[in-house]
Structures are given as C-alpha cells and as structure tokens.
Amino acid sequence: RGPRSGVPVMVAVHSTRLGPALGGCRMWRYRDADAAVGDVLRLSSAMTLKAAAAGLSLGGGKGVICLPPGPAPAGDHREEILHDFAEVVAELDGSFITAEDVGTTTQDMVAIRAVTPHVVGLPETTGGAGDPGMFTALGVRAAMRACAQRAFGSPELAQRTVAIIGVGSVGGSLARLLAADGAELLLADIDASKRALASALAGASWTAPVDALKADVDIVAPCALGGMIDAHTATHLRARVVCGSANNQLDDDAVADLLAARGVLYAPDFLVNSGGLIDVSLELEGYDRAQAQRRVGQLEDVVGDVLAHAEERGQTPLQAARELAAARLAAAV
Ligand SMILES: NC(=O)c1ccc[n+]([C@@H]2O[C@H](COP(=O)([O-])OP(=O)(O)OC[C@H]3O[C@@H](n4cnc5c(N)ncnc54)[C@H](O)[C@@H]3O)[C@@H](O)[C@H]2O)c1
C-alpha cells in the first residue's frame, strides 16, 4: 500500500531482455488486491510479447493501481496515489518505464514525472507524444494494408468495405483515415451518439455491433472490447480479414485455427495495436511526430513479414507472430 494514499500500487516487470520494460499504469477497481496482482502479471507478459513482435528494443511490464470502491479519485488524493505509484517506478531505476493506460491520462503522467523521469505518454504541450489513440489507428491502417495485400493482392484500401466495431479514440481515428483512403465504411458502436461520425464521413454508414460482425464486408476491425470473436461468432464472419485494435479479440487462441480453417485472415491484435506503444516509446529518444508517423507506418512491413512467415510454415499468423517474438527474445543477449 502506498504510504501517502493507503491504496495498493504495483509494478510487474516481466522481461528486460530486449530493453527496459515499458508498460502503462492501469487505474482500476478490482475485486481485491489478489485480482489486481493477477492482472498486472498477465498484462506485463503480454507487453513482452507485444514489444518483441513489433521489433522494439523494449521489455514488458505493467503498473496497476488498485482503487477502492467509490468514485474515481480526484484532486490531492489522486496526486497522492500517483506519487505512491511513481515511487515504486523510481525504485526500479529505469528498468521499468510507465505510460498512460485504462483509467489514467496524459496529465497523470505529468504528476508521475514530478517523482520519477521514467515516464512517457506526456502531453504534447510538454514535448510528449500526447494521446496515442491516433497512432494506434495509424498502425491498424498499416497492418490492414499488409492484410489487404495478402488477401486481395493489393494493399490499397480504396473501395474496400470495412466494418469498424467501436468508434472511440482508436476506431474513430481509424474511420477518418480509411474514409480519406476512399474505403466504404460500416460503423457500429453501443454508444448511439457515435452515429454522427457515420453521417459526417463520406462513404460511411451505421449499423448495430452484432450486425457489423456478420456483415458482408472485406475487412472487420474490432476496436471496442476484447473477447468479441468466439467459436460461435467465428463461424458467422463473412469478412476475409479481421484486423483491429481491440486487445484480446479472440476469446481463446484456438479461435485463430477456426478462422484460418474458414479462410479468414486474422492479424494478431497485439501486433496490430502496437502503434501507440511505438509512438510513446519515441519519447525516450526525444519525441518527433514525423518520425513517429514513419515508424508506425513500418508496421505494414512487420505485419507483412509475419503473414509471409505464417504462409511459408503453414501456421496461423498468431502462431507466426508468437514464434517471431520468441525468436527475438531468445536471440537477445
Ligand atoms: N488507445 C490506444 O492507443 C490503444 C492501444 C492499444 C490497444 N487499444 C485497444 O483498442 C480498443 C479501443 O480503445 P480506445 O482507446 O479507442 O477506447 P475507447 O473507450 O475510446 O473506445 C471504445 C469504443 O467502443 C465502444 N464499445 C464498447 N463496447 C462495445 C461493444 N460491445 N460493441 C460496440 N462498441 C462498443 C465504446 O462505446 C467506445 O466508443 C480497446 O480494446 C483498447 O484496449 C487501444
């Protein structure tokens, strides 16, 4: 428990084999501290996989602040909590670097920086990368181009039909990017206020999330919550490609085999959504937005290589991405 706030704060460093562990600080309500420990461990190993698969010289780690029941902390109490968390980060002396995540903001990173320099994801006004949602979307678009090349023989997304499920920070930015590319969009969200985006974008229409998943489109982009594709929904997909930002899109890894058997190309979510991580990690070298755009755009080649590797070896892209990440980790000294 943090000495100032009394709130349990924790950091898990899963691997520093490829470099310092970079992982967001999640501020969330858990059933109890044990559930928070389980989550921080699971999330930290996922970050090792994500960084290694994306070809970054970063390890995997994660931070969790386990909130008590009640409203989200604000004001001085929020600052006490963040300073308690920052002290744990400071003790790790650079082997762990934190950033924003679910429940934390770029302003929270400013509070953390008052205690430790080992934090990225700072606001643009302080020379940071700002909200990474746009760069995550750019990465999804890059990955989608690689998928289109493999599935349709061309990376161009003009006239491709794409269903985006969840049009929040990432899905909304993705919709704007793809509309500018000339794609035909089907947008869906449980928040009806997001329907305005479908009216605002050329070539976009609106549908219910359950229909978007089964729609007769070229590409489905899950950009809401995880677990959207299970053994049942996998059999109803009509798209040739699944490529979106949501974490843990498949409710089980075995669903990747089901999709492959049906001829659906599933691009591994942890690779597709690594644009935000690539973006904030560039703060470590002195942030440059144009460089961030270039580096995130390179995900097209990274995903293309994974898809080629999978085809050569008769694997699913999920297996291939895991294998490439494991090989990078094994080769590191
Ligand atoms: N923001 C990032 O940079 C980033 C990076 C990596 C991964 N991700 C993942 O991408 C996904 C989207 O992140 P975000 O930052 O855009 O979140 P967000 O909260 O801004 O947007 C999510 C949207 O999904 C909608 N939604 C929720 N449940 C839904 C459902 N069942 N059907 C349809 N719509 C639903 C919400 O109403 C909201 O509009 C999350 O899974 C997140 O973990 C985000």
Side-chain angles (χ1 to χ4, degrees):
R1 286 179 187 274
R4 299 171 184 80
S5 65
V7 168
V9 293
M10 56 196 84
V11 169
V13 175
H14 177 259
S15 170
T16 54
R17 222 178 152 84
L18 294 172
L22 200 160
C25 168
R26 182 162 293 196
M27 194 188 278
W28 199 245
R29 269 180 207 84
Y30 290 89
R31 197 179 55 250
D32 51 35
D34 282 351
V37 170
D39 206 32
V40 80
L41 291 172
R42 184 180 60 80
L43 292 166
S44 66
S45 72
M47 289 306 292
T48 300
L49 178 64
K50 185 188 293 252
L56 297 172
S57 299
L58 292 171
K62 200 81 181 182
V64 158
I65 293 171
C66 177
L67 290 180
D76 289 349
H77 184 49
R78 189 175 183 95
E79 194 166 285
E80 282 170 1
I81 296 172
L82 291 164
H83 285 176
D84 282 340
F85 176 78
E87 219 156 69
V88 179
V89 177
E91 277 169 30
L92 291 165
D93 204 20
S95 57
F96 175 73
I97 301 159
T98 200
E100 69 198 284
D101 196 70
V102 177
T104 55
T105 65
T106 53
Q107 278 310 321
D108 291 335
M109 300 307 114
V110 175
I112 289 173
R113 200 180 51 171
V115 176
T116 174
H118 304 302
V119 54
V120 292
L122 292 156
E124 283 177 78
T125 47
T126 63
D131 179 356
M134 175 61 188
F135 282 89
T136 302
L138 270 175
V140 177
R141 176 175 169 270
M144 213 175 254
R145 285 175 55 88
C147 293
Q149 172 68 55
R150 188 126 304 248
F152 310 115
S154 162
E156 294 310 320
L157 298 172
Q159 268 116 52
R160 287 272 156 245
T161 48
V162 185
I164 303 179
I165 308 170
V167 283
S169 168
V170 179
S173 295
L174 180 66
R176 288 182 195 91
L177 290 168
L178 297 183
D181 283 340
E184 281 177 41
L185 302 177
L186 193 55
L187 307 184
D189 200 296
I190 49 167
D191 176 356
S193 74
K194 302 283 166 67
R195 191 176 189 137
L197 189 63
S199 315
L201 294 177
S205 53
W206 179 259
T207 190
V210 62
D211 295 329
L213 204 54
K214 295 186 285 192
D216 187 11
V217 289
D218 296 321
I219 302 170
V220 163
C223 296
L225 303 180
M228 200 162 262
I229 305 175
D230 58 20
H232 175 73
T233 45
T235 59
H236 288 91
L237 276 174
R238 286 197 278 171
R240 285 277 310 283
V241 172
V242 176
C243 177
S245 75
N247 277 310
N248 308 315
Q249 284 165 37
L250 309 184
D251 85 329
D252 190 291
D253 276 5
V255 177
D257 302 311
L258 274 178
L259 291 173
R262 293 196 61 235
V264 178
L265 194 167
Y266 165 70
D269 47 16
F270 55 81
L271 183 56
V272 170
N273 69 21
S274 59
L277 175 65
I278 296 170
D279 178 46
V280 295
S281 74
L282 292 173
E283 278 183 37
L284 299 171
E285 312 167 3
Y287 189 69
D288 172 350
R289 216 171 159 79
Q291 195 202 6
Q293 255 162 13
R294 251 192 331 275
R295 293 275 283 272
V296 172
Q298 287 166 1
L299 268 179
E300 184 172 341
D301 293 335
V302 174
V303 174
D305 288 348
V306 165
L307 300 182
H309 187 88
E311 194 164 289
E312 273 162 28
R313 295 172 184 236
Q315 295 173 316
T316 64
L318 180 60
Q319 287 166 327
R322 285 190 191 281
E323 199 173 282
L324 284 169
R328 279 205 82 216
L329 284 160
V333 279

